[in-house]
Amino acid sequence: MTRAVDRVYSHIREAIIDGRYGPGARLGEVEIAELTSTSRTPVREALRQLEMEGLVEVLPHRGARVYEWSAEDLEEIYDLRMVLEAMAASRAASRIEGKDIDRMAELCDLMENAADRHHLDLVSQLNDEFHAIVRSAAASTRLITMLNAVIQLPLVMRTFHQYAPDDLARSCAHHRDLVAALRSGDEVWADSVMRAHVRAAKSVLLQALTAGNVQTGQAECETGDEGMRDA
């Protein structure tokens, strides 16, 4: 049976990612307890977990609210993510199994097809699986724990919704290069490709943020796609 705190955590996290709780939105303990049919104790615990993940900010005497990211936050988080994702790719190069590389190559085909049809929600889902394979192949619990702390931002900021066609093409090309690097077992090549991949995503989001075009939440999604996720 699902623990109350897990149920509350899932409710809040999903609501932040899909935009029901937008940046800066107040997260009232009483209201959330009523919505999730729990007491305030599991709500507090869930909010503490989300604060550790960087999705929620708890202010003394003012309660909790959804975190609002600045350009400086985005730059710092993506720099950290670049180092960690590159390390994961490097470790994966000497550990990943052939069947997983074959699945990544298949995912490249599927992502490119979805991108051509502008099905960005599907691109997002496939991309999540692609990167999850790399992280799993890295075989490092500590590394995955640290990565979990810096992959929340792309989820909330709906990364793929900011991509122009050239940006999507570049992202797909990086995926192909990473598959080649992993298939060759070249740790340095895999590290280099992942660094370029994350740096490119960072550049797209920084430009969008500067231009005031960053969109978070379904209400702002013009294409009707849901769940724009990781770069």
Side-chain angles (χ1 to χ4, degrees):
M1 184 174 180
T2 304
R3 293 191 310 151
V5 65
D6 295 331
R7 187 170 71 253
V8 176
Y9 168 88
S10 296
H11 166 80
I12 300 172
R13 186 178 183 277
E14 290 170 7
I16 291 173
I17 289 173
D18 69 21
R20 282 176 284 156
Y21 295 150
R26 178 180 173 276
L27 300 170
E29 292 180 7
V30 174
E31 293 86 349
I32 293 174
E34 291 177 352
L35 283 171
T36 56
S37 300
T38 61
S39 67
R40 294 176 66 175
T41 299
V43 173
R44 290 194 194 101
E45 187 173 342
L47 289 172
R48 281 196 295 269
Q49 290 182 20
L50 290 161
E51 183 181 29
M52 291 177 63
E53 294 179 9
L55 288 175
V56 168
E57 182 179 21
V58 179
L59 304 171
H61 311 298
R62 295 173 59 187
R65 68 180 184 184
V66 179
Y67 195 86
E68 293 185 86
W69 286 282
S70 65
E72 290 77 15
D73 292 327
L74 189 154
E75 189 160 5
E76 179 183 21
I77 288 170
Y78 265 81
D79 285 347
L80 288 169
R81 185 181 163 210
M82 179 175 63
V83 173
L84 296 171
E85 293 270 27
M87 183 180 294
S90 177
R91 286 178 58 88
S94 61
R95 295 170 172 82
I96 193 167
E97 298 183 7
K99 63 180 179 60
D100 291 326
I101 298 175
D102 291 342
R103 176 55 180 167
M104 291 175 69
E106 181 182 4
L107 288 168
C108 286
D109 293 336
L110 295 170
M111 279 187 279
E112 288 165 8
N113 183 267
D116 287 343
R117 292 179 289 131
H118 203 64
H119 289 179
L120 300 183
D121 55 342
L122 181 56
V123 173
S124 170
Q125 295 167 17
L126 297 168
N127 180 78
D128 284 351
E129 182 181 348
F130 183 95
H131 283 274
I133 291 172
V134 178
R135 293 165 188 155
S136 177
S140 172
T141 302
R142 293 184 183 89
L143 182 55
I144 290 175
T145 298
M146 288 187 285
L147 270 166
N148 286 339
V150 295
I151 62 175
Q152 308 297 333
L153 178 63
L155 296 178
V156 178
M157 298 189 76
R158 307 166 71 80
T159 302
F160 282 116
H161 199 62
Q162 321 303 328
Y163 277 32
D166 286 349
D167 299 320
L168 276 173
R170 184 185 305 109
S171 179
C172 289
H174 286 155
H175 287 154
R176 292 285 185 187
D177 286 346
L178 185 57
V179 169
L182 294 175
R183 201 178 290 282
S184 72
D186 192 320
E187 297 177 5
V188 176
W189 186 7
D191 179 291
S192 177
V193 172
M194 187 63 84
R195 285 178 184 273
H197 185 53
V198 178
R199 187 179 293 276
K202 169 187 167 183
S203 177
V204 171
L205 280 186
L206 279 173
Q207 290 178 31
L209 191 64
T210 300
N213 293 331
V214 168
Q215 297 176 345
T216 60
Q218 294 175 336
E220 297 172 281
C221 183
E222 296 174 359
T223 65
D225 295 317
E226 297 178 2
M228 307 308 162
R229 300 192 178 183
D230 206 0

